[in-house]
């Protein structure tokens, strides 16, 4: 099993509705990926969000990293996050 951790902090004034919509699209795409096991998100008291994605293999993680939909949404991260 391979575990991918990522953290993010929202920008002031970020369009959280759009971020949630895109996040839903990403989760739907992620769940279709071969080798995907699970995704969980956690929010700390200070507002930082931690995501945990589990894959069956490093190759499955690489497939997700290179997924065209994932890349397109990832390119928009600066609209929503001050840190990612």
């Amino acid at each position: 099993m391979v575990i991918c951790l990522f953290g993010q902090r929202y920008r002031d004034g970020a369009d959280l509705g759009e971020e949630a919509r895109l996040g839903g699209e990403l989760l739907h795409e992620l769940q279709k990926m071969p080798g995907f096991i699970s995704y969980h998100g956690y929010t700390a008291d200070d507002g930082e969000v931690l995501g945990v994605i589990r894959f069956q293999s490093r190759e499955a993680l690489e497939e997700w990293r290179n997924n065209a939909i994932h890349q397109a949404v990832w390119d928009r991260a600066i609209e929503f996050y001050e840190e990612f």
Side-chain angles (χ1 to χ4, degrees), residues 4-20:
C4 174
L5 301 174
F6 63 93
Q8 60 204 38
R9 291 185 187 278
Y10 292 104
R11 289 187 171 283
D12 290 336
D15 183 346
L16 299 183
E18 177 66 359
E19 190 268 349

Side-chain angles (χ1 to χ4, degrees), residues 6-10 19 39 47-51 81 83-84:
F6 63 93
Q8 60 204 38
R9 291 185 187 278
Y10 292 104
E19 190 268 349
Y39 165 78
E48 182 176 11
V49 176
L50 173 67
Y81 313 115
E83 294 178 351
F84 186 84

Side-chain angles (χ1 to χ4, degrees), residues 40-71:
H40 292 91
Y42 305 93
T43 303
D45 291 339
D46 67 358
E48 182 176 11
V49 176
L50 173 67
V52 180
I53 307 174
R54 290 176 177 83
F55 295 94
Q56 291 177 350
S57 67
R58 176 74 182 186
E59 293 78 21
L61 169 61
E62 292 297 324
E63 287 292 321
W64 175 240
R65 178 181 292 156
N66 296 321
N67 176 281
I69 294 171
H70 181 216
Q71 286 294 311

Side-chain angles (χ1 to χ4, degrees), residues 24-40:
E25 286 183 16
L26 277 182
L27 182 57
H28 180 74
E29 186 72 13
L30 177 61
Q31 290 170 333
K32 296 188 302 184
M33 299 289 296
F36 167 75
I37 297 173
S38 66
Y39 165 78
H40 292 91

